[in-house]
Amino acid sequence: MASSEINHVSHPCIHGHISAERKFGFMRWITKILKLGSNQGVMNRRSPQFLGEDNVAFHTPVRSMDDHSRSEHEELDRAAALSLADDLKRPNGYRRHTNNDEDLARALQDSLNMPSYPPYAPPQFSPGGYSTYTHVPLRYCSGCNREIGYGKYLGCMQAFWHPECFCCHSCGYPITENEFSLSGKNPYHKSCFKELHHPKCEVCLQFIPTNGAGLIEYKSHPFWCQKYCPLHEYDNTARCCSCERLESWNARYIFLGDGRSLCLECMETSIMDTGDCQPLYHSIRDYYEGMNMKIEQQIPMLLVERQALNEAIEGEKNGHHHMPETRGLCLSEEQNISSISKRPRIGGNRLIGMKTKQQKLDRKCEVTAILVLYGLPRLLTGQILAHELMHGWLRLKGYRNLSPVVEEGICQVLSYMWLESEVMPGSRNIPSTSAAASSSFSSKKGGKSHTEKKLGEFFMHQIAQDTSTAYGAGFRAANTAVNRYGLRSTLNHIYMTGTFPV
């Protein structure tokens, strides 16, 4: 189970509008009073310099005012102007600062719905009676770097924007919602951000839901990294019996009829009957011969259904089986086995037309036959054959009373080595005759596709990461010994001591 926090941050956008209507009332009153004062010689007949129209902005939407509201605002404007004119009449231009001025200023500010900071600095008076006003820098759009004039604007991300310039980093369209998502310095529509960063289930193709703590919980395959909702582990979603991937709702798996399903990628190289498997079987026998491990006896090999394999396991006295799923068996007892004689064909999403036949297996040596589950891709079938052939080689060469860890471990090493020769030729120093046999079979079949190589890597990963004692720990101990001392020396040590060399 994996979990991760949602990489999602929402930020509010402040919508603003530059309005000239409210300013005109105040300016009209202050201008009238100053003109009146100018007739009496106030301020050496010089008028204060007011801010231009483009330097006042309000962070509130434009609202229409009825006549009553307009009247109230006119009275406030007139009161503020009278207060300012009264201060200008003081000698040498010094202002008398009173609490009434602050109250009046706050009342004027509230009536205009202005922010707590003024759009321009208060006037400063020089000893000569002149007044100056400090201009606040003009607003520039962070998108186009042009001046923001009259009209709507946005204030977000510590900057100002034209509405049409504040665009989603993903789709390129303007963000008009009151909230947006931020990744680094890039804004996104919340829906675009979710589409990009919120993981989707690769089975139901929906966004993986969050839990009560706001975390995304999902399952993930350790090799394929297929992410999916945890509930698909228990809702009868089909799982490929070969690669273990879950069936997606937009894909189709093939039902094999014995409780197993096969994805289309594994189906491409699947081996369906005993006759189809014979070339692969003989090439793996050649692989053994190339390592001076020739198997003299002609051991029958049969592809069987799941039920036939399970019945054979019940009749077998010896052997260690990888539960809960056994896909191959090295028989040492006489049994009647039902093998697949004619490959089935695909009908809809299932296999039809399969033919089987009963076959009596007589015991002529220590090994009666090798059984392999049908319907698996070529590399997985070969891996199983290499494993079971090693069981046969050990019995035929007189290796007795080996522990499950030792016997299954060394069989897994031979299985892994064969896969390695198919997926990564030349990765090990193996005899040239073995390499020639493997490359000869590959050339007849044609080059392996990327999909088949990836499957081979997965099967190697399964062997290396197996957590069971006999197959997992046994493989790692055997592989360490083979890498350190070589295969032949390791086999000799096992023959004499029943253990791996250390």
Side-chain angles (χ1 to χ4, degrees):
M1 178 76 72
S3 64
S4 64
E5 290 193 33
I6 304 176
N7 184 18
H8 173 80
V9 182
S10 294
H11 293 266
C13 260
I14 301 175
H15 296 263
H17 191 87
I18 298 177
S19 172
E21 180 179 2
R22 291 300 319 282
K23 293 184 297 177
F24 290 156
F26 176 79
M27 290 181 176
R28 185 172 64 250
W29 279 108
I30 198 68
T31 303
K32 287 181 180 179
I33 294 172
L34 289 175
K35 284 182 178 180
L36 180 62
S38 65
N39 294 332
Q40 301 174 6
V42 178
M43 296 180 61
N44 294 330
R45 299 188 182 278
R46 292 186 179 270
S47 300
Q49 299 175 6
F50 291 95
L51 294 175
E53 286 295 318
D54 55 352
N55 284 330
V56 180
F58 304 99
H59 285 260
T60 57
V62 176
R63 289 179 286 185
S64 61
M65 296 185 296
D66 55 22
D67 293 338
H68 178 70
S69 299
R70 291 177 183 277
S71 176
E72 288 182 351
H73 291 315
E74 282 192 8
E75 291 296 322
L76 287 169
D77 294 341
R78 181 173 181 274
L82 286 172
S83 177
L84 178 60
D86 182 60
D87 286 338
L88 295 177
K89 294 176 183 179
R90 301 283 172 186
N92 297 326
Y94 289 104
R95 284 199 65 182
R96 173 176 53 86
H97 187 75
T98 67
N99 291 333
N100 289 337
D101 288 341
E102 293 182 357
D103 294 340
L104 185 58
R106 280 196 295 269
L108 179 59
Q109 178 175 298
D110 293 340
S111 71
L112 295 175
N113 291 317
M114 291 176 63
S116 58
Y117 50 85
Y120 52 83
Q124 298 177 351
F125 297 94
S126 61
Y130 295 97
S131 64
T132 60
Y133 285 77
T134 303
H135 288 255
V136 175
L138 301 176
R139 289 188 179 92
Y140 286 90
C141 174
S142 289
C144 65
N145 295 322
R146 296 179 181 176
E147 180 184 346
I148 298 177
Y150 290 114
K152 295 180 180 179
Y153 68 91
L154 301 176
C156 48
M157 297 170 59
Q158 299 181 342
F160 298 103
W161 311 74
H162 292 115
E164 64 273 14
C165 294
F166 189 62
C167 297
C168 174
H169 189 69
S170 175
C171 68
Y173 287 98
I175 300 175
T176 58
E177 296 83 2
N178 289 332
E179 289 188 341
F180 65 96
S181 296
L182 189 64
S183 178
K185 295 182 179 180
N186 300 320
Y188 293 85
H189 290 112
K190 292 178 71 174
S191 57
C192 291
F193 185 89
K194 186 174 184 179
E195 191 71 32
L196 287 172
H197 299 286
H198 192 118
K200 277 189 176 181
C201 173
E202 296 179 40
V203 175
C204 64
L205 310 179
Q206 303 299 313
F207 289 114
I208 297 176
T210 58
N211 61 14
L215 300 177
I216 302 171
E217 292 187 56
Y218 59 90
K219 292 277 189 177
S220 179
H221 193 280
F223 181 83
W224 303 107
C225 299
Q226 181 189 36
K227 294 184 177 67
Y228 54 91
C229 304
L231 64 91
H232 297 311
E233 291 268 319
Y234 318 104
D235 65 356
N236 297 320
T237 297
R239 185 186 293 273
C240 179
C241 64
S242 168
C243 67
E244 297 184 348
R245 285 176 288 191
L246 290 176
E247 181 182 29
S248 172
W249 287 8
N250 64 352
R252 185 187 66 168
Y253 280 16
I254 303 299
F255 183 62
L256 298 182
D258 56 5
R260 295 180 298 146
S261 296
L262 200 65
C263 72
L264 296 182
E265 289 184 354
C266 292
M267 189 73 185
E268 287 180 1
T269 60
S270 62
I271 299 178
M272 290 295 180
D273 64 35
T274 301
D276 285 347
C277 195
Q278 292 303 321
L280 177 61
Y281 177 53
H282 289 295
S283 74
I284 297 174
R285 289 176 65 103
D286 291 341
Y287 178 81
Y288 272 77
E289 184 177 354
M291 293 188 294
N292 297 318
M293 296 172 64
K294 184 177 180 179
I295 301 174
E296 300 290 347
Q297 291 82 351
Q298 294 300 315
I299 303 173
M301 187 280 303
L302 303 174
L303 248 62
V304 298
E305 295 179 89
R306 196 180 199 179
Q307 182 179 352
L309 184 62
N310 291 336
E311 291 173 355
I313 292 172
E314 292 176 1
E316 185 71 9
K317 295 179 181 178
N318 301 317
H320 312 284
H321 313 298
H322 198 178
M323 301 302 289
E325 181 66 60
T326 297
R327 296 181 288 197
L329 179 65
C330 182
L331 276 178
S332 59
E333 305 292 333
E334 291 187 353
Q335 292 195 37
N336 289 321
I337 300 295
S338 175
S339 65
I340 299 173
S341 60
K342 181 182 178 181
R343 66 177 293 127
R345 65 182 186 276
I346 298 176
N349 66 335
R350 62 182 62 246
L351 296 179
I352 59 176
M354 178 188 295
K355 288 187 178 182
T356 62
K357 69 175 182 179
Q358 287 290 326
Q359 189 167 344
K360 181 175 174 57
L361 299 175
D362 298 323
R363 180 182 172 93
K364 297 179 180 180
C365 60
E366 292 293 323
V367 180
T368 305
I370 290 176
L371 307 182
V372 177
L373 198 60
Y374 91 100
L376 301 176
R378 175 185 169 272
L379 287 179
L380 181 54
T381 303
Q383 170 196 326
I384 297 168
L385 280 172
H387 180 100
E388 300 304 332
L389 270 174
M390 188 59 189
H391 278 300
W393 187 88
L394 291 171
R395 293 178 191 177
L396 292 171
K397 297 300 180 181
Y399 287 71
R400 297 285 187 267
N401 303 319
L402 297 179
S403 68
V405 171
V406 173
E407 185 168 349
E408 297 299 343
I410 195 65
C411 289
Q412 285 290 77
V413 166
L414 267 293
S415 178
Y416 189 92
M417 288 173 64
W418 179 82
L419 275 174
E420 201 172 41
S421 71
E422 291 287 306
V423 178
M424 298 177 287
S427 57
R428 284 186 189 248
N429 294 322
I430 58 176
S432 59
T433 53
S434 174
S438 178
S439 62
S440 174
F441 180 80
S442 297
S443 63
K444 291 177 184 177
K445 185 175 179 64
K448 295 178 184 64
S449 67
H450 173 75
T451 300
E452 189 176 12
K453 288 183 178 179
K454 195 69 178 176
L455 274 175
E457 292 172 6
F458 167 65
F459 300 141
M460 293 171 64
H461 168 85
Q462 276 188 312
I463 294 173
Q465 301 301 321
D466 196 313
T467 58
S468 65
T469 302
Y471 291 82
F475 163 76
R476 287 182 283 276
N479 195 49
T480 299
V482 170
N483 287 334
R484 182 177 299 172
Y485 303 106
L487 179 60
R488 178 53 59 186
S489 296
T490 300
L491 289 172
N492 291 338
H493 192 277
I494 292 174
Y495 185 85
M496 291 184 293
T497 66
T499 62
F500 298 124
V502 292

